[in-house]
Amino acid sequence: MSSATAAAYRWLCQEFSDGVGEMWLFAGFVRDLPPEHALQRIGVIPGALGESGFGVAAYAAGGGTVLIEHGWAGIICNHDMQLSEGTAAAVVRATINNRDFAYSVDGRLITTFGLYSYRFREGADPDRLQADVEDLGMDIDGDRPGFPDDPVSSALALAERATGVHLSSARFARPALIGSTDHLHPYC
């Protein structure tokens, strides 16, 4: 089941990859929150994208909303605890410089870790998701030679498990509620 669960998000990784290993993806999974409320929590006003073309798309998903950022500021990652107020949120960042995961509940950071350095996890309850991390085949002790095969897909699957929010490729293909991030730091 672990490889099948992680494989369920390979399509999303491919959407934000250049095909040779470079990826730029900021994704946030928010339980029981509709798209318009998720955008509101991170200061994004639904409407047209700004001059930069950067923004956040909010997809109605099973169990809540999935946010996908288009740009490089990490607005979703910087607001993960606000997204989790009264609910749960998980964010995955996969860029040239960083690949990490954070899980928050009720405005409190539960666990965060780098996808290549799980043993250095931090938070109020850093081991809360360990059984899922192990089941997904993520490298928990750093003893595997090389790098894990598909850590970003596994992290997206972990976000789904932690929040109960599932984004299918069919829902991703539907129009999303979008808004510009031009007015938000570091864009302003």
Side-chain angles (χ1 to χ4, degrees):
M1 174 151 163
S2 62
S3 62
T5 305
Y9 283 100
R10 285 198 182 115
W11 63 268
L12 186 57
C13 291
Q14 291 171 352
E15 287 285 328
F16 292 89
S17 174
D18 65 1
V20 293
E22 297 297 328
M23 182 180 297
W24 205 272
L25 173 64
F26 296 102
F29 292 59
V30 188
R31 180 186 306 148
D32 296 332
L33 205 60
E36 57 275 2
H37 291 148
L39 288 178
Q40 182 181 38
R41 286 190 181 190
I42 60 173
V44 175
I45 300 165
L49 295 180
E51 289 182 29
S52 71
F54 296 158
V56 175
Y59 295 88
T65 295
V66 173
L67 301 170
I68 304 290
E69 185 170 341
H70 299 273
W72 55 73
I75 303 297
I76 293 169
C77 297
N78 296 336
H79 292 86
D80 60 324
M81 288 186 277
Q82 287 136 310
L83 284 168
S84 75
E85 289 289 338
T87 189
V91 296
V92 175
R93 173 173 50 181
T95 68
I96 295 168
N97 299 323
N98 297 299
R99 292 183 186 233
D100 48 34
F101 176 91
Y103 174 63
S104 300
V105 176
D106 290 326
R108 186 171 176 218
L109 179 64
I110 301 301
T111 187
T112 185
F113 55 88
L115 300 188
Y116 300 115
S117 56
Y118 179 74
R119 73 171 113 183
F120 300 115
R121 62 200 172 276
E122 299 175 338
D125 186 3
D127 296 328
R128 184 177 296 184
L129 302 177
Q130 186 161 350
D132 288 318
V133 168
E134 290 174 3
D135 187 51
L136 289 165
M138 298 174 83
D139 188 6
I140 63 167
D141 54 18
D143 291 339
R144 293 183 189 169
F147 292 117
D149 290 337
D150 196 358
V152 178
S153 292
S154 294
L156 293 167
L158 181 61
E160 175 181 317
R161 285 185 181 194
T163 62
V165 177
H166 172 72
L167 179 66
S168 67
S169 58
R171 286 197 185 217
F172 182 75
R174 293 180 188 160
L177 186 62
I178 60 167
S180 174
T181 54
D182 286 359
H183 64 287
L184 299 172
H185 177 78
Y187 298 122
C188 52

